[in-house]
Amino acid sequence: SAVISQKPSRDICQRGTSLTIQCQVDSQVTMMFWYRQQPGQSLTLIATANQGSEATYESGFVIDKFPISRPNLTFSTLTVSNMSPEDSSIYLCSVRRAQGSNEQFFGPGTRLTVL
Amino acid sequence: GEDVEQSLFLSVREGDSSVINCTYTDSSSTYLYWYKQEPGAGLQLLTYIFSNMDMKQDQRLTVLLNKKDKHLSLRIADTQTGDSAIYFCAESGGNEKLTFGTGTRLTIIP
């Protein structure tokens, strides 16, 4: 498996502000993803974080709202910009060691509450 | 798009077997997964099965796949209080993106 850590683990933020979530993996991985889990809901893929290039966003998610960085093979950040209460969710980082790898692992999540 | 369905709740007596069911629509699914989410935690990968298999067993866990009916199940033998969690079914097609079900909340009755 992969050991994945996220910072912060939780935060309470004011409307209109931005929060950057960090994801650190204990070893190099090819694929990194960001998911959102709204309260009581399932997981929705936000984007695939690509090392050295722009992230690939899923339908309904845009770079201006969720900018993503991936400077190397062990680290990525997701920013939730100009937050509103509807952004209150758990945000999860997820990795696959290599393209074609069958196993996908998840971090512990960042629980975000927007007031 | 792809759709993955699960029943929302399941209650099982301690010591009995739990069977959590999942149906999916994507006929090109290559792998199907079961994840466990305990309260306040991330997702733990329990097991996965390749779409050309019909069964996989790993200790107390048995996965059954009926590809014709697009039906997946997870059986937990000798269910214990530590098995209380939400269980998510997920499928991936050729693009390696996971589509998740709604999750089944498993409650253990003492």
Side-chain angles (χ1 to χ4, degrees), chain A residues 2-6 23 33-36 43 92-95 104-109, chain B residues 35 42-45 90 98 100:
Chain A
V3 178
I4 306 168
S5 60
Q6 288 185 231
C23 176
F33 308 91
W34 287 99
Y35 285 80
R36 180 175 73 182
L43 282 78
L92 297 112
C93 173
S94 181
V95 306
Q104 186 163 333
F105 303 103
F106 284 79
Chain B
Y35 285 88
L43 269 70
Q44 175 193 353
L45 176 61
L98 293 186
F100 282 85

Side-chain angles (χ1 to χ4, degrees), chain B residues 5-109:
Chain B
E5 300 275 346
Q6 298 177 242
S7 51
L8 292 179
F9 302 100
L10 177 66
S11 295
V12 174
R13 292 208 174 274
E14 190 174 0
D16 287 352
S17 292
S18 306
V19 179
I20 304 170
N21 294 302
C22 171
T23 58
Y24 60 97
T25 58
D26 186 2
S27 56
S28 67
S29 295
T30 50
Y31 286 91
L32 296 121
Y33 300 80
W34 285 104
Y35 285 88
K36 176 183 181 182
Q37 186 177 37
E38 296 183 78
L43 269 70
Q44 175 193 353
L45 176 61
L46 288 177
T47 187
Y48 63 95
I49 188 168
F50 186 45
S51 59
N52 71 353
M53 297 171 64
D54 51 24
M55 188 181 92
K56 181 177 181 181
Q57 186 155 4
D58 183 2
Q59 300 183 341
R60 291 192 299 124
L61 304 179
T62 303
V63 178
L64 295 178
L65 174 61
N66 181 328
K67 193 173 180 181
K68 173 175 169 289
D69 294 340
K70 299 191 185 69
H71 181 267
L72 181 75
S73 68
L74 174 69
R75 178 176 178 270
I76 306 172
D78 186 24
T79 309
Q80 299 160 12
T81 54
D83 295 323
S84 291
I86 300 176
Y87 290 81
F88 288 96
C89 166
E91 63 90 18
S92 76
N95 61 11
E96 297 185 305
K97 294 180 186 176
L98 293 186
T99 301
F100 282 85
T102 49
T104 299
R105 183 181 296 272
L106 176 63
T107 301
I108 312 306
I109 305 165

Side-chain angles (χ1 to χ4, degrees), chain A residues 36-48:
Chain A
R36 180 175 73 182
Q37 185 179 23
Q38 293 177 298
Q41 303 288 317
S42 186
L43 282 78
T44 302
L45 178 62
I46 297 172
T48 302

Side-chain angles (χ1 to χ4, degrees), chain A residues 83-97:
Chain A
M83 288 184 283
S84 67
E86 292 71 36
D87 294 319
S88 297
S89 290
I90 300 173
Y91 292 86
L92 297 112
C93 173
S94 181
V95 306
R96 288 192 189 217
R97 288 208 176 276

